[in-house]
Amino acid sequence: MTSINLADRGVDLGEWAKSTPKAADEFAAAVRSWLEENLTGEFAGLKGRGGPGSEHEFFAERLEWDRHLARAGWTCIGWPTEYGGRGATLEQRIIFHREYARANAPARVNHLGEELLGPTLIAYGTEEQKKRFLPGIVDVSELWSQGYSEPGAGSDLAGVSTSARLENGKWIINGQKIWTSLAHVAQWVFVLARTEKGSSRHAGLSFLLVPLDQPGITVRPIQQLTGTSEFNEVFFDDAETDADLIVGEPGDGWKVAMGLLQFERGVSTLGQQVGFARELENLTDLARSNGAVDDPEIASRLVRADIGLKVMRAHAQRTLDGDVTSQAGAASVSKLLWANWHRDLGELAMDVVGAPALIGPPTTVEGEPNDIADPEHVELDEWQRLYLFTRADTIYGGSNEVQRNIIAERVLGLPREAR
Ligand SMILES: Cc1cc2nc3c(=O)[nH]c(=O)nc-3n(C[C@H](O)[C@H](O)[C@H](O)COP(=O)(O)OP(=O)(O)OC[C@H]3O[C@@H](n4cnc5c(N)ncnc54)[C@H](O)[C@@H]3O)c2cc1C
């Protein structure tokens, strides 16, 4: 695999590195015009594709689009230039996500590599690990998945029981992960495993980088409410990975795993709000056109959704300005705000659509008749998908209850819950 160098990609950091209003405007204009020029031709049909509940849509084409972005220097832009990024400032990263969402560009395929594993390797990895893995994330030749949750360890992640032992220069891994997003399309998984026999809770865990394509690993997709399979069960039966593919020291896994979670849902959530605004706008248009808005209850919920969006934006701005007492608390407030807002929007969508929400659209994306008698193959419309997938928003990335515990304990100083 070759390393990507910014000079090769014709990227001029010059003006963009300076954070002035003019430079920010120029950066936004550069992103906008690149997207306008490139989200055309073979990529034009990808607009709006691949969001939650539609991860399966046009996967190969979206992978190609991500590689196209990479060739022009638009992947991993916040990473330091020495690792193939642009060294973009926080402001520039926000601008990029905002413009990307405005252009209705397709969902990215390697979010877990770019936003989670890459920054973690930059922070905790060895130089060899950075050299080996970062270029494959930048050029989108290797996709990643996250092996944290297990049937007995979700909110209480310290309950991880998947084990790994060192034998003849290899880690031998046994156990099971669950809800592993995109493992069925990824080449690698980062695994939190217990490497110290007899250890419990946060001690004795290690963070391992494991190739998925090997006889010791079985990936079994789980069908979701949407009928699609975004996540999987992953079984490890004497699966192997090289001894040096451990991030941090043996036993340091908890520290590395928590470091990674701080990167989860970072600045990209600001682009997400542009997508939310578009969903609300489309729903409001639908309510006007089908007369649902004449129902005062619906009208009031639409207005409340608009206010909720403004509250979300104000909170994000305060957090970025550092105007909060606890960053951990602010992240939890943000998660609660967006997840509940989005779930409520899904419910509102069903009420705006009304009775037709009970059946699928008449034809599939490919124009075939939609077979509502076949639950395996029925295709949902965007509102049904929104409703069903947003049930998951209040669970992944830390459930509502877990976020409230964090706010109670770390921000309000209430007594810790009994453990
Ligand atoms: C769409 C989706 C994608 C996901 N992708 C991944 C992935 O790629 N990799 C990965 O590792 N995991 C992934 N997950 C798993 C996710 O992290 C877990 O679902 C989440 O941590 C909750 O764990 P759990 O499902 O075991 O539920 P549990 O932890 O068993 O929780 C069950 C219920 O109990 C509540 N609860 C738990 N503890 C407390 C407490 N202390 N106080 C009050 N209430 C509590 C919870 O809020 C919840 O309502 C994904 C989940 C979803 C829905």
Side-chain angles (χ1 to χ4, degrees), residues 169-370:
K170 298 266 185 200
W171 290 102
I172 310 294
I173 308 153
N174 282 285
Q176 186 200 338
K177 296 291 174 181
I178 194 167
W179 321 127
T180 319
S181 295
L182 306 177
H184 58 302
V185 289
Q187 287 77 41
W188 289 85
V189 57
F190 46 90
V191 173
L192 190 60
R194 201 159 284 289
T195 47
E196 218 174 281
K197 218 171 172 189
S199 65
S200 69
R201 309 295 301 161
H202 312 95
L205 296 167
S206 297
F207 190 103
L208 304 176
L209 309 174
V210 183
L212 279 162
D213 186 13
Q214 57 167 304
I217 293 188
T218 308
V219 176
R220 205 157 68 187
I222 303 173
Q223 196 181 65
Q224 288 162 255
L225 270 178
T226 47
T228 58
S229 297
E230 183 261 1
F231 55 36
N232 303 269
E233 291 177 291
V234 182
F235 299 91
F236 300 83
D237 297 298
D238 285 338
E240 297 182 354
T241 199
D242 290 342
D244 58 353
L245 295 190
I246 176 170
V247 184
E249 296 297 317
D252 268 356
W254 187 257
K255 185 180 84 185
V256 179
M258 291 304 107
L260 179 139
L261 287 185
Q262 292 191 354
F263 299 119
E264 192 167 14
R265 312 227 137 246
V267 290
S268 58
T269 55
L270 288 149
Q272 179 190 43
Q273 288 183 22
V274 179
F276 288 173
R278 185 181 311 108
E279 284 171 353
L280 177 59
E281 205 177 300
N282 291 347
L283 188 62
T284 308
D285 285 348
L286 177 65
R288 279 201 197 95
S289 68
N290 75 359
V293 77
D294 296 334
D295 176 342
E297 168 68 17
I298 299 264
S300 157
R301 285 163 71 192
L302 285 167
V303 171
R304 270 183 276 151
D306 189 48
I307 294 168
L309 204 51
K310 292 189 167 72
V311 170
M312 225 185 296
R313 204 169 295 149
H315 175 74
Q317 197 56 55
R318 277 188 61 202
T319 309
L320 287 172
D321 292 346
D323 187 18
V324 286
T325 45
S326 147
Q327 283 294 335
S332 292
V333 170
S334 164
K335 171 79 210 305
L336 276 174
L337 284 174
W338 77 253
N340 291 286
W341 183 91
H342 207 208
R343 182 200 54 194
D344 291 351
L345 190 76
E347 291 173 3
L348 177 54
M350 292 297 90
D351 291 334
V352 167
V353 175
L358 294 171
I359 54 171
T363 55
T364 65
V365 175
E366 281 82 25
E368 302 291 324
N370 202 13

Side-chain angles (χ1 to χ4, degrees), residues 2 90 129 188 262 414:
T2 52
L90 179 65
Q129 289 168 350
W188 289 85
Q262 292 191 354
L414 296 177

Side-chain angles (χ1 to χ4, degrees), residues 55 112 116 144-157 177-183 189-190 224 230-232 261 264 389 391-403 405 409 417-419:
E55 315 72 25
L112 294 164
L116 301 190
W144 284 86
S145 54
Q146 177 181 22
Y148 277 18
S149 305
E150 297 183 2
S155 304
D156 187 18
L157 189 59
K177 296 291 174 181
I178 194 167
W179 321 127
T180 319
S181 295
L182 306 177
V189 57
F190 46 90
Q224 288 162 255
E230 183 261 1
F231 55 36
N232 303 269
L261 287 185
E264 192 167 14
F389 198 89
R391 313 313 293 174
D393 283 347
T394 55
I395 302 171
Y396 67 82
S399 69
N400 270 357
E401 290 76 10
V402 166
Q403 305 304 341
N405 277 349
E409 293 174 8
E417 71 165 325
R419 303 203 194 258

